[in-house]
Coordinates of all heavy atoms in Angstrom, one line a residue:
G307 N -14.3 7.9 -1.2 CA -15.7 8.1 -0.9 C -15.9 8.7 0.5 O -17.1 8.7 1.0
Y476 N -17.5 -2.2 9.7 CA -17.5 -1.0 8.8 C -16.5 -1.2 7.7 O -16.1 -0.2 7.1 CB -17.3 0.3 9.6 CG -18.3 0.4 10.8 CD1 -17.9 0.1 12.1 CD2 -19.6 0.9 10.5 CE1 -18.8 0.3 13.1 CE2 -20.5 1.0 11.5 CZ -20.1 0.7 12.8 OH -21.0 0.9 13.8
L650 N 19.1 -10.0 -21.0 CA 18.7 -9.4 -19.7 C 20.0 -8.8 -19.0 O 19.9 -7.7 -18.5 CB 18.0 -10.4 -18.9 CG 17.2 -9.9 -17.7 CD1 16.0 -9.1 -18.2 CD2 16.7 -11.1 -16.9
S728 N 35.0 -14.7 -5.6 CA 34.4 -15.8 -6.4 C 32.9 -15.7 -6.4 O 32.3 -15.4 -5.4 CB 34.9 -17.2 -5.8 OG 34.5 -17.3 -4.4

Side-chain angles (χ1 to χ4, degrees):
Y476 303 102
L650 198 65
S728 58

